[in-house]
Amino acid sequence: MKKWMKVNSVALTAVMAVTLSGCGAATKETNVSASPTTKATTAETTKPSDKPSNEIVKLRISAQHFDDDTSKPYDYAAAELKKEMPNVELLLEPTLQDDNQKLKTQMATGDLPDIVDMNWNLIQIANKSNNILVLDKEAETEKFKKDLLKGNEPKLIAPDGHVYGYPYGGIEFQIIYYNKKIFADAGVKLPIKTVDELKEAAKVFTAKGITPMAIFGKEKWIGNAFLRGFMVREDPKGFGVLNEAMEVPEALKLAAKQVSELQAAGLFAKNATNTNYDQASASFYQGKAAMFVNGQWEISSSQKNLGDNVDWMYWPAKDEATYEKSKFMMDGQGDATGFVVSSKTKDKATAIKVAAFMARKYAEYKYTMVGNPIVSVKVDKPVQVEVPAMLQRLSKEIIPNVTGYAAVLSNTKIGLALDDNSQNLLVPGFSVDQFVSNMNKALKDK
């Protein structure tokens, strides 16, 4: 039976206060420099729509909508929008688990939905191809800035100084989940602090017919995040150092070596790069995998499916000294994300207003209905649910002690090369030398 920790709204508010303070301290040094030009369309002259208030405005919206973590925030926000703007009809186009291939095709064909939930890598591509609006001078942007929680500035303001979308999540990060019962039954000791200990655990689980770690490697970003988890143990800037590097730094070479060794030790299933989220999470929930790697947003789903048997661990390092020193350096980065607006939308004013509204309501749902403190903007409503034990642990143990997040990798070309080659590290036969050679070529050609 799953176990939830009851927290009244007053107590959780206190936790959130510490949480937000911690996030602020962790991101003080983020540099945001203005760029004199931009290729995206600027919506400087958008005015309230001239359409009669009772005329239905239909807006296509692309958002993730495939499990409780993604569908429930959308459904909540859409229902709230219907109350606030009854003349707006949202036409949902669920984002596919295809590494954004559909969205990239829509950008190439000029068929991008009016509103799209995008990450920073995709925003850069959309910006260069003039597919999205720059929202710097919008009234909604000014309102958003006023309500932005301290420390979340990089989520709204991109490294080039512009605003492209409205974020709902705070600075998120990836962690490793594990099944406590499987670990206990296999006699694998906890906590796992080093890469060598993780390799030994992988061998024990494999011998028992259990997949050591489930990973949805079909989506390149998770392989990227897995690799970064080891790199930030050596360099707190993470992949951000590649913005200026001309060759692969030692920290990344070591991280690639560690992932390669873990793969050789049998940490992943043989079909890891053909496995999507649904398949990987099902393997973990059903007790077929001992561990699962995903963002902290996975907490609710894992707790719902595994109850008391699930918990999370810190990212291992090359040795215990490095582990203790870098323990609170999180595998995440404060990059600009959120609901962007297509430059081809027929009703820019309404689309911008709806994009900001949806972001706010997503944050509201995550805070009030999940108890998730990692949101971008202020939420005035109290928490209304029992908070998962793992989220309580995260709020009290990690957030107040975070020492930093990785710097943003802004070079799209390098990012794509990193996606491809980090995914390849999950495949038998792909060597560290190949990784370094491919990345060096990309760094020299950037």
Side-chain angles (χ1 to χ4, degrees):
M1 178 179 290
K2 68 182 180 181
K3 180 179 180 182
W4 306 82
M5 292 186 66
K6 281 184 172 289
V7 182
N8 62 40
S9 59
V10 174
L12 191 58
T13 299
V15 172
M16 302 310 171
V18 174
T19 294
L20 301 175
S21 173
C23 285
T27 57
K28 281 183 185 176
E29 297 180 0
T30 301
N31 293 320
V32 178
S33 57
S35 172
T37 61
T38 180
K39 293 186 178 181
T41 304
T42 305
E44 295 183 21
T45 59
T46 52
K47 300 177 182 179
S49 176
D50 294 329
K51 297 178 182 292
S53 59
N54 62 344
E55 182 178 337
I56 298 299
V57 176
K58 294 184 178 182
L59 296 174
R60 294 164 58 209
I61 182 170
S62 175
Q64 294 185 1
H65 198 276
F66 57 85
D67 63 359
D68 285 354
D69 292 334
T70 55
S71 62
K72 288 189 174 182
Y74 175 85
D75 294 344
Y76 175 87
E80 291 296 307
L81 179 69
K82 182 59 66 175
K83 298 175 188 175
E84 182 74 15
M85 296 179 240
N87 65 310
V88 174
E89 180 180 343
L90 292 182
L91 305 175
L92 174 63
E93 297 182 13
T95 302
L96 301 180
Q97 297 179 58
D98 65 348
D99 210 34
N100 295 317
Q101 291 307 308
K102 179 182 177 181
L103 286 173
K104 291 175 183 177
T105 299
Q106 289 178 316
M107 283 190 275
T109 59
D111 189 39
L112 197 67
D114 300 278
I115 299 170
V116 185
D117 187 3
M118 286 190 179
N119 60 30
W120 174 231
N121 285 338
L122 204 56
I123 285 174
Q124 291 178 87
I125 296 171
N127 174 29
K128 290 180 180 178
S129 57
N130 298 317
N131 269 286
I132 57 175
L133 298 176
V134 176
L135 305 173
D136 296 356
K137 299 182 180 180
E138 295 304 312
E140 292 297 333
T141 300
E142 290 306 309
K143 294 176 186 176
F144 218 88
K145 286 180 178 179
K146 290 179 181 178
D147 291 335
L148 198 67
L149 292 172
K150 185 179 179 181
N152 284 299
E153 291 78 9
K155 298 294 294 183
L156 179 67
I157 304 170
D160 62 6
H162 293 292
V163 174
Y164 298 103
Y166 300 115
Y168 48 86
I171 299 179
E172 299 182 309
F173 47 88
Q174 283 69 53
I175 49 182
I176 297 172
Y177 299 84
Y178 68 95
N179 186 312
K180 292 190 285 186
K181 184 177 186 305
I182 291 178
F183 267 70
D185 290 346
V188 176
K189 73 169 187 174
L190 291 163
I192 289 177
K193 295 184 177 182
T194 69
V195 174
D196 285 341
E197 289 174 349
L198 187 56
K199 285 191 287 187
E200 289 306 310
K203 294 175 183 177
V204 172
F205 292 129
T206 299
K208 292 180 176 295
I210 298 170
T211 299
M213 181 176 289
I215 186 170
F216 43 106
K218 189 172 185 179
E219 296 187 42
K220 295 178 182 179
W221 75 265
I222 193 64
N224 182 311
F226 187 76
L227 177 65
R228 185 182 60 203
F230 294 101
M231 187 178 179
V232 296
R233 289 292 177 256
E234 295 295 317
D235 189 326
K237 291 183 179 180
F239 297 148
V241 299
L242 300 179
N243 287 319
E244 305 299 331
M246 294 305 294
E247 62 180 26
V248 176
E250 291 303 315
L252 182 52
K253 288 181 183 178
L254 177 59
K257 179 175 181 290
Q258 290 169 331
V259 173
S260 180
E261 290 176 349
L262 288 166
Q263 188 282 321
L267 186 67
F268 311 110
K270 292 181 180 179
N271 64 340
T273 55
N274 289 317
T275 302
N276 63 26
Y277 169 82
D278 292 337
Q279 295 165 328
S281 60
S283 177
F284 184 57
Y285 299 159
Q286 294 167 12
K288 297 177 181 179
M291 292 173 280
F292 183 40
V293 58
N294 201 0
Q296 94 292 319
W297 57 82
E298 169 67 29
I299 284 177
S300 295
S301 290
S302 286
Q303 192 100 47
K304 177 181 177 181
N305 284 278
L306 292 171
D308 287 346
N309 284 330
V310 66
D311 205 345
W312 52 262
M313 66 177 74
Y314 293 95
W315 223 267
K318 65 183 178 185
D319 52 44
E320 286 197 31
T322 304
Y323 172 86
E324 295 297 343
K325 179 181 178 181
S326 61
K327 188 175 182 178
F328 294 107
M329 183 66 209
M330 306 314 296
D331 179 23
Q333 58 188 34
D335 47 356
T337 59
F339 287 105
V340 305
V341 178
S342 169
S343 58
K344 297 177 178 62
T345 185
K346 295 179 180 179
D347 193 331
K348 294 181 180 179
T350 301
I352 290 169
K353 187 175 181 181
V354 170
F357 183 90
M358 292 295 286
R360 287 177 181 275
K361 291 303 175 181
Y362 260 58
E364 184 173 288
Y365 177 87
K366 288 177 175 292
Y367 181 86
T368 63
M369 304 307 294
V370 181
N372 186 350
I374 306 175
V375 294
S376 62
V377 292
K378 179 174 62 177
V379 176
D380 294 326
K381 295 182 179 180
V383 175
Q384 301 176 31
V385 295
E386 295 173 313
V387 181
M390 284 195 295
L391 190 53
Q392 274 292 98
R393 182 186 165 207
L394 181 149
S395 297
K396 293 178 179 179
E397 188 176 322
I398 284 189
I399 302 299
N401 297 306
V402 168
T403 54
Y405 298 91
V408 176
L409 172 60
S410 296
N411 188 296
T412 306
K413 187 173 182 179
I414 301 304
L416 292 173
L418 199 54
D419 280 347
D420 289 339
N421 287 283
S422 59
Q423 183 187 52
N424 288 338
L425 285 171
L426 308 180
V427 179
F430 184 78
S431 70
V432 176
D433 286 343
Q434 286 175 288
F435 175 90
V436 173
S437 176
N438 291 347
M439 289 306 303
N440 275 338
K441 184 177 185 302
L443 287 166
K444 290 175 183 177
D445 292 344
K446 65 182 177 182

